[in-house]
Amino acid sequence: MRPSGWRRNRRAGTAVAAGVKVEIWSDVVCPWCYIGKRRFESALRDFEHADDVEVVWRSFELDPTAVSVTERAAGPSDAHARRLAAKFGRPVQEVQRMVAHVDETAAAEGLEFHQDVSVPANTVAAHQLLHLAGERGVQGAVKERLLRAHFTEGEPLGDVDTLVRLAAEAGLDADEARAVLAEDRYLADVRADVAEASALGARGVPFFVVDRRYGVSGAQPAEQFLQVLQRAWAESRPLTLVGDGSADGACGPDGCAI
């Protein structure tokens, strides 16, 4: 993957977009977002033009009112399942089965989930760092680091020191990351992403938008992502002129070539 560049049509003198742009709305505490990320990456590995795909991670807050826990869990427990059970009004045992199913699905994609040590986090600060990472060219690395930190390592993503450390591990400057959070520098960008997701019709995440033409909701199978990429690529290709470009054998406003 790389940012989509631009190439110039020499005859027409117009800029033509090269590649496919994929915007992905997700949250760093959303299990299906991590699973969907892996499935999309699997599709990219099978896509022959993967180097011409630009991926942009957009912000989405599953729970903007969430209160962060700033310390790691003491150890595995059913606290996560109990929180979900209380939130959705379901029996704890039912939620535990649902969590186990998600963990098994993640394992099938090569992910290691330990949701029994995950802690609640308000993710607005994490999303601000992802906007900074987008400007610094390390957005994919920071996104992956934050997801792994939450789902595999039980890191408290609502803690500023933790976020700064994780961001630095993924390639951001620690001092700049801390300054961004202190200033809420990208708060407006996060809010704009959330509003845009709603305008585009997203009712949940992950939500994939390809070239602003196709929307894919949910962690769909890799095969479906691949089909969308192939279709978008085919539709984005400019017409290629064959031959030397002369008008021999053609008629135009000034007459016909002889």
Side-chain angles (χ1 to χ4, degrees):
M1 295 178 296
R2 66 184 179 192
S4 293
W6 293 86
R7 63 187 178 194
R8 185 161 296 277
N9 183 315
R10 293 181 180 178
R11 294 187 180 279
T14 57
V16 179
V20 173
K21 182 175 183 178
V22 182
E23 298 164 273
I24 309 173
W25 275 262
S26 71
D27 203 351
V28 292
V29 295
C30 162
W32 287 107
C33 292
Y34 204 0
I35 293 169
K37 181 176 184 291
R38 278 295 182 272
R39 290 177 175 174
F40 176 73
E41 289 166 347
S42 178
L44 273 181
R45 285 195 295 272
D46 292 333
F47 185 52
E48 61 179 330
H49 306 291
D51 286 344
D52 292 310
V53 176
E54 177 188 4
V55 177
V56 178
W57 293 97
R58 300 294 190 190
S59 304
F60 190 95
E61 296 176 84
L62 286 179
D63 185 1
T65 66
V67 177
S68 297
V69 171
T70 57
E71 296 180 355
R72 296 174 64 104
S77 73
D78 63 355
H80 176 64
R82 289 187 178 279
R83 287 192 296 268
L84 292 178
K87 181 177 181 179
F88 297 111
R90 296 190 177 186
V92 173
Q93 289 185 335
E94 178 184 344
V95 172
Q96 287 176 323
R97 290 192 294 269
M98 293 169 58
V99 171
H101 170 69
V102 171
D103 289 355
E104 292 170 1
T105 304
E109 302 298 333
L111 296 170
E112 182 180 349
F113 276 17
H114 296 292
Q115 296 192 75
D116 53 0
V117 297
S118 65
V119 295
N122 186 298
T123 59
V124 67
H127 285 299
Q128 290 193 65
L129 290 184
L130 285 166
H131 275 276
L132 170 65
E135 292 190 358
R136 299 293 177 264
V138 292
Q139 194 180 44
V142 173
K143 182 73 172 184
E144 177 68 23
R145 186 67 190 96
L146 295 179
L147 286 165
R148 178 161 56 89
H150 179 76
F151 286 103
T152 304
E153 301 166 0
E155 295 274 15
L157 297 189
D159 176 64
V160 170
D161 290 337
T162 299
L163 280 176
V164 169
R165 171 174 56 82
L166 294 171
E169 290 175 7
L172 284 177
D173 178 80
D175 291 337
E176 184 178 30
R178 190 176 296 277
V180 161
L181 297 183
E183 300 166 9
D184 276 337
R185 190 181 303 173
Y186 294 94
L187 181 59
D189 299 275
V190 173
R191 299 290 186 243
D193 275 358
V194 173
E196 189 169 21
S198 177
L200 289 171
R203 297 294 176 263
V205 286
F207 186 67
F208 301 75
V209 176
V210 183
D211 278 348
R212 290 294 170 119
R213 292 174 59 84
Y214 301 103
V216 180
S217 181
Q220 300 299 325
E223 293 78 9
Q224 182 166 335
F225 287 126
L226 180 58
Q227 290 173 5
V228 174
L229 288 171
Q230 291 171 334
R231 184 169 183 175
W233 178 267
E235 292 177 351
S236 69
R237 297 304 87 205
L239 183 68
T240 300
L241 291 176
V242 178
D244 60 8
S246 66
D248 292 346
C251 294
D254 297 326
C256 298
I258 298 176

